[in-house]
């Protein structure tokens, strides 16, 4: 059957030329978009060993000097720090707050901020790691607020699980530990920002699982510095985790009602509380990722709609001019199902014939480096999208399946009409 259908396609190569040309072009375009979504999906599938469920960013306002409640005696220095300490005590004392975190310089999750640093292990002047530099107050519980884990996600960790007493203590991510300390013994080892210069080293206090700056990117090297709350209090980011047993909407309403007055300390007051899920959504849109997804989805829909109309029109015309062939088949005992199957197989073969040169053209894109590994970092880890050959085969198979589904829909209506055609009526056209 396949051989006879292929012969029919070759015998009608002139009439099939236009549909093959369109299938070829659309296959390449759909593959390019499908490849982008494939990488995006793979990145989403990589665990992000923290979570932002039930987490909130607490934003404090500060009264200006011309405000009636402005207090010059608590405006700066130790007094401002003491006011912040009181606010943290109030937050920790709230019955529906599980943990409180203080971070600095955009170190809280899902914000459009990145501070990077290069580190070497002691005695190694060759291998280096460029990592995200994060700054947290170890007196509060940054790791618990954002659900950090260790040992491959098997153990939840707290900031208090680590000994921060050594000068310049740091906690590093697993990728960074494996890169700089391949023997697996990172705790207690020292890091330096300048190769061979140990005048101001960092001491590794612990290792946590890897995080991604954004969920649609890949895990990155990360290092957590101890940074104490002092006169920089106005620049600190305060984050809290609410109890999972309390619905977020209810918690937000009750928290604002109860804590607005209690958090008014010195010149500080509760300005707003924002769920990190909303911050993540805003960052997704702000960085243009949401728009990129919508654009590619719209393009793919447009391409597939073109194929749907093209194939439907082509097969409708073919059935009209091949009525005698259909009539002969039905006279010789072909069932309606076999007629539909014959036409559907013809459409699948046309798609497969177009796929082969399309793959050759696509591979030129691959060789030219025109496909991206979305959110790629400079880590040594290898993920599925990095396996170029396997990725190429998978994305082409996905593209074929998508287009095959569209072609099946496009052929279904003309095929039903052909299968329902009475043999006597069809043979009149011979």
């Amino acid at each position: 059957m396949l051989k006879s259908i292929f012969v029919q396609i070759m015998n009608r190569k002139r009439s099939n030329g236009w549909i093959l040309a369109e299938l070829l072009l659309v296959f390449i375009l759909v593959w390019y978009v499908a490849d982008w979504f494939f990488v995006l999906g793979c990145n989403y599938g990589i665990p992000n060993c923290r979570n932002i469920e039930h987490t909130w960013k607490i934003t404090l306002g500060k009264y200006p000097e011309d405000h009636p409640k402005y207090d010059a005696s608590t405006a700066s220095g130790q007094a401002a720090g003491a006011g912040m300490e009181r606010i943290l005590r109030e937050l920790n004392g709230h019955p529906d707050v599980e943990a409180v975190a203080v971070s600095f310089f955009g170190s809280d999750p899902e914000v459009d901020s990145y501070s990077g640093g290069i580190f070497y292990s002691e005695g190694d002047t060759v291998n280096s790691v460029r990592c995200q530099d994060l700054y947290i107050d170890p007196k509060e519980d940054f790791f618990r607020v954002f659900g950090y884990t260790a040992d491959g996600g098997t153990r939840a960790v707290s900031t208090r699980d680590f000994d921060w007493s050594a000068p310049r203590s740091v906690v590093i991510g697993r990728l960074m530990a494996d890169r700089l300390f391949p023997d697996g013994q990172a705790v207690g080892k020292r890091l330096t920002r300048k190769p061979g210069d140990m005048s101001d080293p960092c001491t590794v206090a612990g290792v946590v699982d890897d995080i991604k700056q954004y969920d649609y990117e890949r895990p990155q090297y990360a290092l957590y510095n101890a940074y104490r709350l002092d006169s920089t209090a106005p620049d600190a980011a305060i984050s809290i985790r609410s109890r999972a047993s309390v619905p977020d909407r209810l918690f937000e309403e009750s928290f604002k009602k109860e804590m607005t007055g209690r958090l008014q300390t010195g010149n500080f007051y509760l300005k707003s509380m924002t769920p990190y899920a909303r911050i993540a959504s805003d960052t997704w849109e702000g960085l243009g990722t949401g728009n990129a997804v919508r654009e590619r989805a719209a393009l793919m829909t447009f391409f597939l709609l073109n194929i749907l109309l093209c194939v439907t029109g082509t097969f409708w015309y073919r059935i009209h001019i091949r009525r005698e062939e259909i009539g002969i088949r039905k006279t010789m005992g072909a069932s309606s199902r076999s007629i539909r199957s014959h036409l559907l197989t013809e459409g699948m073969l046309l798609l497969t014939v177009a796929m082969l040169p399309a793959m050759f053209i696509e591979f030129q894109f691959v060789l030219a480096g025109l496909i991206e590994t979305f959110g790629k970092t400079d880590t040594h880890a290898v993920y599925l999208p990095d396996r170029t050959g396997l990725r190429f085969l998978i994305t082409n198979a996905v593209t074929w399946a998508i287009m095959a589904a569209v072609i099946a829909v496009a052929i279904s209506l003309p095929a039903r009409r052909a299968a329902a055609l009475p043999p006597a009526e069809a043979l009149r056209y011979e």
Side-chain angles (χ1 to χ4, degrees), residues 216-411:
Y216 58 87
E217 292 192 346
R218 296 181 173 195
Q220 60 186 350
Y221 295 129
L223 179 143
Y224 304 86
N225 300 270
Y227 198 88
R228 267 68 181 184
L229 185 66
D230 51 22
S231 59
T232 62
D235 301 320
I238 301 176
S239 311
I240 63 174
R241 172 174 286 275
S242 60
R243 298 192 185 281
S245 58
V246 181
D248 285 350
R249 184 176 59 82
L250 181 60
F251 173 78
E252 184 176 9
E253 291 176 358
S254 62
F255 184 90
K256 287 180 178 179
K257 183 177 180 180
E258 181 181 351
M259 300 298 287
T260 297
R262 291 170 58 182
L263 295 185
Q264 200 283 311
T265 301
N267 292 314
F268 295 119
Y269 63 93
L270 177 62
K271 185 177 182 180
S272 66
M273 61 181 297
T274 309
Y276 274 95
R278 188 186 306 161
I279 294 173
S281 177
D282 292 344
T283 303
W284 166 273
E285 294 297 336
L287 293 176
T289 312
N291 194 46
V293 168
R294 287 188 292 272
E295 285 179 352
R296 284 165 173 78
L299 284 172
M300 181 176 283
T301 302
F302 175 75
F303 299 149
L304 296 176
L305 183 60
N306 272 272
I307 285 297
L308 180 71
L309 297 175
C310 172
V311 172
T312 300
T314 299
F315 274 79
W316 201 280
Y317 175 72
R318 284 188 176 183
I319 289 166
H320 178 74
I321 65 173
R322 291 165 61 183
R323 289 189 174 200
E324 68 280 5
E325 175 192 332
I326 296 169
I328 292 172
R329 287 179 179 275
K330 297 199 75 173
T331 302
M332 297 185 67
S335 65
S336 296
R337 182 176 180 180
S338 67
I339 297 294
R340 291 195 299 268
S341 177
H342 181 94
L343 293 171
L344 182 61
T345 304
E346 186 175 335
M348 297 302 109
L349 275 176
L350 281 170
L351 174 61
T352 304
V353 169
M355 176 185 178
L356 299 177
M359 289 180 67
F360 176 78
I361 297 172
E362 291 163 9
F363 198 67
Q364 309 313 306
F365 284 83
V366 176
L367 294 177
L370 297 179
I371 60 171
E372 59 181 322
T373 303
F374 193 70
K376 183 174 176 60
T377 63
D378 59 353
T379 65
H380 63 288
V382 177
Y383 300 98
L384 178 57
D386 298 322
R387 304 182 188 280
T388 306
L390 181 58
R391 168 183 171 181
F392 184 73
L393 293 175
I394 290 174
T395 53
N396 273 282
V398 169
T399 304
W400 188 93
I402 292 172
M403 292 190 63
V406 173
I407 289 173
V409 173
I411 293 175

Side-chain angles (χ1 to χ4, degrees), residues 28 81 84 106-107 110 121 123 128 138 178 205 208 219 268 280 286 289 315 370 381 420:
I28 294 170
M84 182 65 76
S107 297
E110 304 296 344
S121 61
S128 64
D178 291 344
V208 295
F268 295 119
T289 312
F315 274 79
L370 297 179

